[in-house]
Coordinates of all heavy atoms in Angstrom, one line a residue:
V1386 N -4.8 -10.9 -2.9 CA -3.9 -11.0 -1.8 C -4.0 -9.7 -1.0 O -4.3 -8.7 -1.5 CB -2.4 -11.1 -2.4 CG1 -1.4 -11.1 -1.2 CG2 -2.3 -12.3 -3.3
T1387 N -3.9 -9.9 0.2 CA -4.0 -8.8 1.3 C -2.8 -8.8 2.2 O -2.4 -9.9 2.6 CB -5.3 -8.9 2.1 OG1 -6.4 -9.1 1.3 CG2 -5.5 -7.8 3.0
F1388 N -2.3 -7.6 2.5 CA -1.3 -7.6 3.6 C -1.3 -6.2 4.3 O -1.9 -5.3 3.8 CB 0.2 -7.7 2.9 CG 0.7 -6.7 2.0 CD1 1.3 -5.6 2.4 CD2 0.4 -6.8 0.7 CE1 1.9 -4.6 1.5 CE2 0.7 -5.8 -0.3 CZ 1.5 -4.8 0.2
W1389 N -0.7 -6.2 5.4 CA -0.7 -4.9 6.3 C 0.7 -4.1 6.1 O 1.7 -4.9 6.0 CB -0.9 -5.3 7.8 CG -2.1 -6.1 8.2 CD1 -2.4 -7.4 8.0 CD2 -3.3 -5.5 8.7 NE1 -3.7 -7.7 8.3 CE2 -4.2 -6.5 8.8 CE3 -3.7 -4.2 9.0 CZ2 -5.5 -6.2 9.3 CZ3 -5.0 -4.0 9.6 CH2 -5.8 -5.1 9.7
A1390 N 0.7 -2.9 6.2 CA 1.9 -2.2 6.1 C 1.9 -0.8 6.7 O 0.7 -0.3 7.0 CB 2.2 -2.0 4.6
E1391 N 3.0 -0.2 7.0 CA 3.1 1.2 7.4 C 3.6 2.0 6.3 O 4.7 1.6 5.7 CB 4.0 1.3 8.7 CG 4.1 2.7 9.1 CD 4.9 2.8 10.4 OE1 4.9 1.8 11.1 OE2 5.5 3.9 10.6
I1392 N 3.1 3.1 5.9 CA 3.6 4.0 4.8 C 4.8 4.7 5.4 O 4.9 5.2 6.4 CB 2.5 5.1 4.5 CG1 1.1 4.4 3.9 CG2 3.0 6.0 3.5 CD1 0.1 5.4 3.7
E1393 N 5.9 4.5 4.5 CA 7.2 5.2 4.9 C 7.4 6.5 4.0 O 7.9 7.4 4.5 CB 8.3 4.2 4.6 CG 8.3 3.2 5.6 CD 9.7 2.4 5.7 OE1 10.4 2.5 4.8 OE2 9.9 1.7 6.6
N1394 N 6.9 6.3 2.7 CA 7.2 7.5 1.9 C 6.2 7.6 0.7 O 5.7 6.6 0.1 CB 8.6 7.4 1.3 CG 9.1 8.7 0.5 OD1 8.5 9.8 0.8 ND2 10.0 8.5 -0.4
I1395 N 5.8 8.7 0.3 CA 4.7 8.9 -0.8 C 5.5 9.7 -1.8 O 5.9 10.9 -1.6 CB 3.5 9.6 -0.2 CG1 2.8 8.7 0.7 CG2 2.6 9.8 -1.5 CD1 1.6 9.3 1.4
D1396 N 5.6 9.2 -3.0 CA 6.2 9.9 -4.2 C 5.1 10.2 -5.2 O 4.3 9.5 -5.6 CB 7.3 9.0 -4.9 CG 8.5 8.7 -4.0 OD1 8.9 9.6 -3.3 OD2 9.1 7.7 -4.3
D1397 N 5.1 11.5 -5.6 CA 4.1 11.9 -6.7 C 4.5 11.6 -8.1 O 3.6 11.2 -8.8 CB 4.1 13.5 -6.6 CG 3.4 14.0 -5.4 OD1 2.5 13.2 -4.8 OD2 3.6 15.0 -4.9
L1398 N 5.8 11.5 -8.5 CA 6.2 11.2 -9.8 C 7.3 10.2 -9.8 O 8.4 10.6 -9.3 CB 6.6 12.4 -10.6 CG 5.5 13.5 -10.8 CD1 6.1 14.7 -11.5 CD2 4.3 12.7 -11.8
P1399 N 7.3 9.0 -10.3 CA 5.9 8.3 -10.6 C 5.1 8.2 -9.3 O 5.7 8.1 -8.2 CB 6.3 7.1 -11.1 CG 7.6 6.7 -10.5 CD 8.3 8.0 -10.3
K1400 N 3.7 8.0 -9.4 CA 3.0 7.8 -8.3 C 3.3 6.4 -7.7 O 2.8 5.5 -8.2 CB 1.4 8.0 -8.7 CG 1.0 9.3 -8.8 CD -0.5 9.4 -9.0 CE -0.9 10.7 -9.2 NZ -2.5 10.8 -9.4
Q1401 N 3.8 6.5 -6.5 CA 4.1 5.2 -5.9 C 4.4 5.5 -4.4 O 4.6 6.6 -4.0 CB 5.4 4.5 -6.3 CG 6.6 5.4 -6.3 CD 7.7 4.6 -7.0 OE1 7.6 3.7 -7.8 NE2 9.0 5.1 -6.8
I1402 N 4.0 4.6 -3.6 CA 4.0 4.6 -2.1 C 5.1 3.5 -1.6 O 4.8 2.4 -2.0 CB 2.7 4.5 -1.4 CG1 1.8 5.6 -1.8 CG2 2.8 4.5 0.0 CD1 0.4 5.4 -1.4
L1403 N 6.0 3.9 -0.8 CA 6.9 2.9 -0.2 C 6.3 2.5 1.2 O 6.1 3.4 1.9 CB 8.3 3.4 0.0 CG 9.4 2.5 0.6 CD1 9.5 1.3 -0.2 CD2 10.7 3.3 0.9
V1404 N 6.1 1.3 1.4 CA 5.6 0.8 2.7 C 6.5 -0.2 3.3 O 7.3 -0.8 2.6 CB 4.2 0.2 2.5 CG1 3.2 1.2 2.0 CG2 4.1 -1.1 1.6
Q1405 N 6.4 -0.4 4.6 CA 7.1 -1.5 5.3 C 6.1 -2.5 5.7 O 5.1 -2.1 6.5 CB 7.8 -0.9 6.5 CG 8.5 -2.0 7.4 CD 9.5 -2.7 6.7 OE1 10.5 -2.0 6.2 NE2 9.6 -4.1 6.9
G1406 N 6.1 -3.7 5.3 CA 5.2 -4.6 5.7 C 5.4 -5.0 7.2 O 6.5 -5.0 7.8
T1407 N 4.2 -5.3 7.9 CA 4.3 -5.6 9.3 C 4.6 -7.1 9.6 O 4.5 -7.9 8.7 CB 2.8 -5.2 9.9 OG1 1.8 -6.1 9.6 CG2 2.5 -3.8 9.6
Q1408 N 4.9 -7.3 10.9 CA 5.3 -8.7 11.3 C 4.0 -9.7 11.3 O 4.2 -10.8 11.3 CB 5.8 -8.6 12.7 CG 7.2 -7.9 12.7 CD 8.3 -8.6 11.8 OE1 8.4 -9.9 11.8 NE2 9.0 -7.9 11.0
D1409 N 2.8 -9.1 11.1 CA 1.5 -9.9 11.0 C 1.5 -10.6 9.7 O 0.8 -11.6 9.7 CB 0.3 -9.1 11.3 CG 0.4 -8.3 12.6 OD1 0.7 -8.9 13.6 OD2 -0.1 -7.1 12.7
N1410 N 2.2 -10.2 8.7 CA 2.1 -10.8 7.4 C 2.9 -11.9 7.3 O 3.9 -12.2 8.1 CB 2.7 -9.8 6.3 CG 1.9 -8.5 6.3 OD1 0.6 -8.5 6.3 ND2 2.6 -7.5 6.1
V1411 N 2.8 -12.8 6.3 CA 3.7 -13.9 5.9 C 5.0 -13.3 5.6 O 5.1 -12.1 5.1 CB 3.2 -14.8 4.8 CG1 1.8 -15.6 5.3 CG2 2.9 -14.1 3.4
A1412 N 6.0 -14.1 5.7 CA 7.4 -13.7 5.5 C 7.6 -12.8 4.1 O 8.4 -11.8 4.2 CB 8.4 -14.7 5.5
S1413 N 7.0 -13.1 3.1 CA 7.3 -12.5 1.8 C 6.7 -11.1 1.7 O 7.0 -10.3 0.8 CB 6.8 -13.3 0.7 OG 5.3 -13.6 0.8
Y1414 N 5.9 -10.7 2.8 CA 5.2 -9.3 2.8 C 5.6 -8.5 4.0 O 5.0 -7.6 4.5 CB 3.7 -9.5 2.8 CG 3.1 -10.1 1.5 CD1 2.8 -11.3 1.5 CD2 3.1 -9.3 0.2 CE1 2.2 -12.0 0.3 CE2 2.7 -9.9 -0.9 CZ 2.2 -11.2 -0.9 OH 1.8 -11.8 -2.1
R1415 N 6.8 -8.8 4.5 CA 7.3 -8.1 5.7 C 8.2 -7.1 5.5 O 8.6 -6.3 6.3 CB 7.8 -9.1 6.8 CG 6.9 -10.0 7.4 CD 7.4 -10.9 8.5 NE 6.5 -11.9 9.0 CZ 6.8 -13.0 9.3 NH1 8.1 -13.4 9.6 NH2 5.9 -13.9 9.8
G1416 N 8.8 -7.1 4.3 CA 9.9 -6.1 3.9 C 9.4 -4.9 3.4 O 8.2 -4.6 3.4
K1417 N 10.2 -4.1 2.7 CA 9.9 -2.8 2.1 C 9.1 -3.2 0.7 O 9.8 -4.1 0.0 CB 11.0 -1.9 1.9 CG 11.6 -1.4 3.2 CD 12.7 -0.3 2.9 CE 13.2 0.1 4.2 NZ 12.4 0.8 5.2
I1418 N 8.1 -2.5 0.4 CA 7.4 -2.9 -0.8 C 6.9 -1.5 -1.5 O 6.4 -0.7 -0.7 CB 6.1 -3.7 -0.6 CG1 6.5 -5.0 0.1 CG2 5.3 -3.9 -1.9 CD1 5.2 -5.8 0.5
Y1419 N 7.1 -1.3 -2.7 CA 6.5 -0.1 -3.5 C 5.2 -0.5 -3.9 O 5.1 -1.6 -4.5 CB 7.5 0.3 -4.7 CG 8.5 1.2 -4.3 CD1 9.8 0.9 -4.4 CD2 8.3 2.5 -3.8 CE1 10.9 1.7 -4.2 CE2 9.3 3.4 -3.6 CZ 10.5 3.0 -3.8 OH 11.6 3.9 -3.4
L1420 N 4.2 0.4 -3.7 CA 2.9 0.2 -4.3 C 2.7 1.1 -5.5 O 3.0 2.3 -5.4 CB 1.8 0.5 -3.2 CG 1.9 -0.1 -1.9 CD1 0.9 0.5 -0.9 CD2 1.9 -1.7 -2.0
E1421 N 2.4 0.5 -6.6 CA 2.1 1.2 -7.8 C 0.7 1.9 -7.8 O -0.2 1.1 -7.6 CB 2.2 0.3 -9.2 CG 3.6 -0.1 -9.4 CD 3.7 -1.0 -10.7 OE1 2.6 -1.5 -11.1 OE2 4.7 -1.0 -11.3
I1422 N 0.7 3.2 -7.8 CA -0.6 3.8 -7.5 C -1.1 4.3 -8.9 O -0.6 5.1 -9.7 CB -0.4 5.1 -6.5 CG1 0.3 4.7 -5.4 CG2 -1.7 5.9 -6.3 CD1 -0.6 3.7 -4.5
K1423 N -2.4 3.9 -9.0 CA -3.2 4.4 -10.3 C -4.5 5.0 -9.8 O -4.9 4.9 -8.7 CB -3.5 3.3 -11.2 CG -2.1 2.5 -11.7 CD -2.4 1.6 -12.8 CE -1.0 1.1 -13.1 NZ -0.9 -0.1 -13.7
D1424 N -5.0 5.9 -10.7 CA -6.3 6.6 -10.4 C -7.4 5.6 -10.0 O -8.4 6.2 -9.3 CB -6.7 7.5 -11.5 CG -5.8 8.7 -11.8 OD1 -5.0 9.0 -10.7 OD2 -5.6 9.2 -12.8
S1425 N -7.4 4.4 -10.5 CA -8.5 3.4 -10.2 C -8.5 2.8 -8.9 O -9.4 2.1 -8.4 CB -8.5 2.3 -11.3 OG -7.2 1.6 -11.2
I1426 N -7.5 3.2 -8.0 CA -7.4 2.5 -6.8 C -8.4 3.1 -5.7 O -8.6 4.3 -5.7 CB -6.0 2.7 -6.1 CG1 -5.0 2.0 -6.9 CG2 -5.9 2.3 -4.6 CD1 -3.5 2.0 -6.5
K1427 N -9.1 2.2 -5.0 CA -10.2 2.6 -4.1 C -9.4 2.8 -2.8 O -8.7 2.0 -2.3 CB -11.1 1.5 -4.0 CG -12.2 1.8 -3.0 CD -13.3 0.6 -3.2 CE -14.1 0.5 -1.9 NZ -14.9 -0.7 -2.0
I1428 N -9.6 4.0 -2.1 CA -9.1 4.4 -0.8 C -10.2 4.5 0.1 O -11.2 5.2 -0.1 CB -8.3 5.7 -0.9 CG1 -7.3 5.8 -1.9 CG2 -7.7 5.9 0.5 CD1 -6.1 5.0 -1.9
T1429 N -10.0 3.7 1.3 CA -11.2 3.7 2.2 C -10.7 4.0 3.6 O -9.5 3.6 4.0 CB -12.0 2.4 2.2 OG1 -11.1 1.3 2.5 CG2 -12.6 2.1 0.9
K1430 N -11.5 4.5 4.5 CA -11.3 4.7 5.9 C -12.5 4.6 6.6 O -13.5 5.3 6.3 CB -10.6 6.0 6.1 CG -10.3 6.3 7.6 CD -9.5 7.7 7.7 CE -9.1 7.9 9.1 NZ -8.3 9.1 9.3
N1431 N -12.6 3.7 7.5 CA -13.9 3.4 8.4 C -15.1 3.1 7.5 O -16.2 3.5 7.7 CB -14.3 4.7 9.3 CG -13.1 4.9 10.2 OD1 -12.5 4.0 10.8 ND2 -12.9 6.2 10.5
G1432 N -14.9 2.4 6.4 CA -15.8 2.0 5.4 C -16.4 3.1 4.4 O -17.2 2.8 3.7
E1433 N -15.7 4.3 4.6 CA -16.1 5.4 3.6 C -14.9 5.5 2.6 O -13.7 5.4 2.8 CB -16.1 6.7 4.4 CG -17.2 6.7 5.5 CD -18.6 6.7 5.0 OE1 -18.8 7.3 4.1 OE2 -19.4 6.1 5.5
I1434 N -15.4 5.9 1.4 CA -14.5 6.2 0.3 C -13.7 7.6 0.5 O -14.5 8.5 0.9 CB -15.2 6.2 -1.0 CG1 -15.9 5.0 -1.4 CG2 -14.3 6.7 -2.2 CD1 -15.1 3.9 -1.7
C1435 N -12.4 7.6 0.4 CA -11.7 8.9 0.5 C -10.8 9.2 -0.6 O -10.6 8.2 -1.4 CB -11.2 8.9 1.9 SG -10.2 7.8 2.4
D1436 N -10.1 10.2 -0.6 CA -9.1 10.6 -1.5 C -7.9 10.1 -1.4 O -7.3 9.9 -0.2 CB -9.2 12.1 -1.7 CG -8.4 12.7 -2.9 OD1 -9.1 12.4 -4.1 OD2 -7.4 13.2 -2.8
L1437 N -7.0 10.0 -2.3 CA -5.6 9.7 -2.2 C -4.8 10.5 -1.3 O -3.9 10.1 -0.5 CB -5.0 9.6 -3.6 CG -3.6 9.1 -3.7 CD1 -3.4 7.6 -3.3 CD2 -3.0 9.2 -5.2
T1438 N -5.3 11.7 -1.2 CA -4.5 12.8 -0.4 C -4.7 12.5 1.1 O -4.0 13.0 2.0 CB -5.1 14.2 -0.6 OG1 -6.5 14.3 -0.4 CG2 -4.8 14.6 -2.1
E1439 N -5.6 11.5 1.4 CA -5.7 11.1 2.8 C -4.7 10.3 3.4 O -4.5 10.1 4.5 CB -7.0 10.4 3.1 CG -8.3 11.2 2.8 CD -8.5 12.2 4.0 OE1 -8.4 11.8 5.1 OE2 -9.0 13.3 3.7
L1440 N -3.9 9.7 2.3 CA -2.8 8.9 2.8 C -1.5 9.7 3.4 O -1.2 10.7 2.7 CB -2.2 8.0 1.6 CG -3.3 7.0 1.1 CD1 -2.9 6.2 -0.2 CD2 -3.7 5.9 2.1
K1441 N -1.0 9.3 4.5 CA 0.0 10.0 5.0 C 1.1 9.0 5.5 O 0.9 7.9 6.0 CB -0.5 10.8 6.3 CG -1.6 11.7 6.1 CD -1.3 12.9 5.2 CE -2.6 13.9 5.0 NZ -2.6 14.4 3.8
E1442 N 2.4 9.5 5.5 CA 3.5 8.8 6.1 C 3.2 8.4 7.6 O 2.7 9.3 8.4 CB 4.8 9.6 5.9 CG 5.2 9.8 4.6 CD 6.4 10.6 4.3 OE1 7.1 11.0 5.2 OE2 6.7 10.9 3.2
G1443 N 3.5 7.1 7.9 CA 3.3 6.7 9.3 C 2.0 6.0 9.6 O 1.8 5.3 10.5
Q1444 N 1.0 6.1 8.6 CA -0.2 5.4 8.8 C -0.1 3.9 8.5 O 0.6 3.4 7.7 CB -1.2 5.9 7.8 CG -1.7 7.2 8.0 CD -2.7 7.8 6.9 OE1 -2.5 7.4 5.7 NE2 -3.8 8.4 7.3
L1445 N -0.9 3.1 9.3 CA -1.1 1.8 9.1 C -2.2 1.5 8.0 O -3.2 2.2 8.2 CB -1.4 1.0 10.4 CG -1.6 -0.4 10.3 CD1 -0.3 -1.1 10.0 CD2 -2.1 -1.0 11.7
I1446 N -1.8 0.6 7.0 CA -2.8 0.5 6.0 C -2.9 -1.0 5.8 O -2.2 -1.8 6.1 CB -2.4 1.2 4.8 CG1 -1.1 0.6 4.1 CG2 -2.5 2.6 4.8 CD1 -0.8 1.2 2.8
K1447 N -4.0 -1.4 5.1 CA -4.2 -2.8 4.6 C -4.3 -2.8 3.1 O -5.1 -1.8 2.5 CB -5.5 -3.3 5.2 CG -5.7 -4.9 5.0 CD -6.8 -5.3 5.7 CE -7.1 -6.8 5.6 NZ -8.3 -7.2 6.5
V1448 N -3.5 -3.4 2.4 CA -3.5 -3.3 0.9 C -4.1 -4.7 0.4 O -3.8 -5.8 0.7 CB -2.0 -3.3 0.5 CG1 -1.8 -3.4 -1.0 CG2 -1.2 -2.1 1.2
Y1449 N -4.9 -4.4 -0.7 CA -5.6 -5.5 -1.4 C -5.1 -5.3 -2.9 O -5.3 -4.3 -3.5 CB -7.2 -5.3 -1.5 CG -7.8 -5.2 -0.1 CD1 -7.7 -4.1 0.7 CD2 -8.3 -6.3 0.5 CE1 -8.4 -4.0 1.9 CE2 -9.0 -6.3 1.8 CZ -8.9 -5.1 2.4 OH -9.6 -5.1 3.7
F1450 N -4.4 -6.5 -3.4 CA -4.0 -6.4 -4.7 C -4.2 -7.9 -5.4 O -4.4 -8.8 -4.8 CB -2.6 -5.9 -4.9 CG -1.5 -6.7 -4.6 CD1 -0.8 -7.4 -5.6 CD2 -1.3 -7.2 -3.2 CE1 0.3 -8.3 -5.2 CE2 -0.2 -8.1 -2.8 CZ 0.6 -8.6 -3.9
S1451 N -4.3 -7.8 -6.7 CA -4.4 -9.1 -7.6 C -3.3 -9.1 -8.6 O -3.6 -10.0 -9.5 CB -5.9 -9.0 -8.1 OG -6.0 -8.0 -9.0
G1452 N -2.3 -8.3 -8.6 CA -1.3 -8.3 -9.5 C -0.1 -9.2 -9.1 O -0.2 -10.1 -8.4
L1453 N 1.0 -8.9 -9.6 CA 2.3 -9.6 -9.4 C 3.0 -8.8 -8.3 O 2.9 -7.5 -8.1 CB 3.1 -9.6 -10.7 CG 2.5 -10.3 -11.8 CD1 3.3 -10.2 -13.0 CD2 2.3 -11.8 -11.5
M1454 N 3.9 -9.5 -7.7 CA 4.8 -8.9 -6.8 C 6.3 -9.1 -7.6 O 6.7 -10.2 -7.7 CB 4.9 -9.6 -5.5 CG 5.8 -9.0 -4.4 SD 5.3 -7.3 -3.8 CE 4.1 -7.9 -2.5
Y1455 N 6.7 -8.0 -8.0 CA 8.0 -8.0 -8.7 C 9.2 -8.2 -7.7 O 9.3 -7.5 -6.9 CB 8.3 -6.7 -9.6 CG 7.2 -6.6 -10.6 CD1 6.2 -5.7 -10.4 CD2 7.2 -7.3 -11.7 CE1 5.1 -5.6 -11.4 CE2 6.3 -7.2 -12.7 CZ 5.2 -6.3 -12.6 OH 4.3 -6.1 -13.5
A1456 N 10.1 -9.1 -8.2 CA 11.2 -9.5 -7.1 C 12.3 -8.5 -7.3 O 13.4 -8.9 -7.8 CB 11.7 -10.9 -7.4
T1457 N 12.2 -7.2 -7.0 CA 13.2 -6.3 -7.0 C 13.5 -5.9 -5.6 O 12.8 -6.4 -4.6 CB 12.6 -5.1 -7.7 OG1 11.6 -4.5 -7.1 CG2 12.4 -5.3 -9.2
V1458 N 14.3 -5.1 -5.2 CA 14.7 -4.6 -3.9 C 14.5 -3.1 -3.9 O 15.3 -2.5 -4.5 CB 16.0 -5.0 -3.4 CG1 16.3 -4.5 -2.0 CG2 16.2 -6.4 -3.4
P1459 N 13.5 -2.5 -3.2 CA 12.4 -3.2 -2.6 C 11.4 -3.9 -3.6 O 11.5 -3.5 -4.9 CB 11.6 -2.2 -1.8 CG 12.2 -0.8 -2.2 CD 13.4 -1.0 -3.0
Q1460 N 10.6 -4.7 -3.3 CA 9.7 -5.4 -4.1 C 8.6 -4.4 -4.6 O 8.5 -3.3 -4.1 CB 8.8 -6.5 -3.3 CG 9.7 -7.6 -2.9 CD 8.8 -8.6 -2.2 OE1 8.5 -9.6 -2.8 NE2 8.6 -8.5 -0.8
I1461 N 8.0 -4.7 -5.7 CA 6.9 -3.8 -6.3 C 5.6 -4.6 -6.4 O 5.7 -5.6 -7.1 CB 7.3 -3.2 -7.7 CG1 8.7 -2.3 -7.5 CG2 6.2 -2.3 -8.2 CD1 9.2 -1.9 -8.9
A1462 N 4.6 -4.0 -5.8 CA 3.2 -4.6 -5.9 C 2.5 -3.9 -7.0 O 2.3 -2.7 -7.0 CB 2.5 -4.6 -4.6
S1463 N 1.9 -4.6 -8.0 CA 1.2 -4.0 -9.0 C -0.3 -4.5 -8.9 O -0.7 -5.4 -8.2 CB 1.8 -4.6 -10.4 OG 1.5 -6.0 -10.5
N1464 N -1.1 -3.7 -9.7 CA -2.6 -4.0 -9.7 C -3.3 -3.9 -8.3 O -3.9 -4.7 -7.9 CB -2.8 -5.3 -10.4 CG -4.3 -5.3 -11.0 OD1 -4.9 -4.3 -11.3 ND2 -4.8 -6.5 -11.3
I1465 N -2.9 -2.8 -7.6 CA -3.5 -2.6 -6.3 C -5.0 -2.2 -6.5 O -5.3 -1.4 -7.3 CB -2.9 -1.4 -5.7 CG1 -1.3 -1.5 -5.5 CG2 -3.5 -1.2 -4.2 CD1 -0.8 -2.6 -4.8
K1466 N -5.8 -3.0 -5.8 CA -7.3 -2.7 -5.8 C -7.8 -1.8 -4.9 O -8.7 -0.9 -5.1 CB -8.0 -4.0 -5.7 CG -7.7 -5.1 -6.8 CD -8.2 -4.6 -8.2 CE -8.0 -5.6 -9.2 NZ -8.2 -5.2 -10.6
E1467 N -7.4 -1.8 -3.6 CA -7.8 -1.0 -2.5 C -6.8 -0.8 -1.5 O -6.0 -1.7 -1.3 CB -9.0 -1.6 -1.8 CG -9.7 -0.9 -0.7 CD -10.8 -1.5 -0.1 OE1 -11.4 -2.4 -0.7 OE2 -11.2 -1.0 1.0
I1468 N -6.7 0.4 -0.9 CA -5.9 0.6 0.3 C -6.9 1.2 1.4 O -7.6 2.0 1.1 CB -4.9 1.7 0.0 CG1 -3.8 1.2 -1.1 CG2 -4.1 2.2 1.3 CD1 -2.9 2.3 -1.5
E1469 N -6.9 0.3 2.4 CA -7.7 0.6 3.6 C -6.8 1.3 4.7 O -5.9 0.8 5.0 CB -8.4 -0.5 4.2 CG -9.3 -0.4 5.3 CD -9.9 -1.6 5.9 OE1 -9.7 -2.6 5.2 OE2 -10.7 -1.5 6.9
I1470 N -7.3 2.5 5.1 CA -6.5 3.2 6.1 C -7.0 2.7 7.5 O -8.2 2.7 7.8 CB -6.8 4.8 6.1 CG1 -6.2 5.4 4.7 CG2 -6.0 5.4 7.3 CD1 -6.6 6.8 4.4
I1471 N -6.2 2.2 8.2 CA -6.4 1.5 9.6 C -6.3 2.5 10.7 O -7.2 2.7 11.5 CB -5.5 0.3 9.8 CG1 -5.7 -0.8 8.7 CG2 -5.9 -0.4 11.2 CD1 -7.1 -1.2 8.4
Q1472 N -5.1 3.2 10.7 CA -4.9 4.2 11.6 C -3.8 5.2 11.2 O -3.1 5.1 10.4 CB -4.5 3.7 13.0 CG -3.2 2.9 13.0 CD -2.7 2.5 14.4 OE1 -2.6 3.3 15.3 NE2 -2.5 1.2 14.5

């Protein structure tokens, strides 16, 4: 599954990122979503691999995941495979 979002907050402990899904997504991915961050996540920008520290609040990202979306408020996306920095 893939969706677009804007980073709202980055927490170090536990490692998670709060994002706001964009209006380009289907309805279930337009709200606030926590991304569970693990060391195995691939972070890319312009096709290049980069570090987790490149992620900043306010950035537009594309999220690729194959896990579950937990029905909490906000939702929690698990098993994130890649975060692509768009801008």
Side-chain angles (χ1 to χ4, degrees):
V1386 177
T1387 303
F1388 66 93
W1389 300 81
E1391 181 178 328
I1392 297 174
E1393 289 195 346
N1394 191 25
I1395 300 172
D1396 293 326
D1397 288 332
L1398 295 172
K1400 283 189 178 177
Q1401 58 187 12
I1402 297 174
L1403 178 63
V1404 299
Q1405 173 68 50
T1407 68
Q1408 293 300 312
D1409 299 322
N1410 299 320
V1411 295
S1413 58
Y1414 296 102
R1415 291 185 190 155
K1417 293 188 185 299
I1418 302 168
Y1419 273 115
L1420 308 179
E1421 292 182 336
I1422 303 302
K1423 299 191 173 156
D1424 293 335
S1425 60
I1426 294 175
K1427 179 175 158 184
I1428 310 292
T1429 61
K1430 183 176 183 179
N1431 300 323
E1433 301 288 324
I1434 302 290
C1435 54
D1436 193 70
L1437 187 62
T1438 59
E1439 295 287 321
L1440 297 175
K1441 308 286 182 217
E1442 293 174 7
Q1444 284 178 321
L1445 180 63
I1446 60 173
K1447 190 172 183 181
V1448 179
Y1449 303 82
F1450 79 106
S1451 62
L1453 299 172
M1454 183 71 81
Y1455 296 103
T1457 58
V1458 177
Q1460 297 181 91
I1461 300 171
S1463 67
N1464 204 19
I1465 307 296
K1466 297 294 184 192
E1467 179 180 346
I1468 296 175
E1469 179 183 355
I1470 300 169
I1471 304 301
Q1472 60 172 310

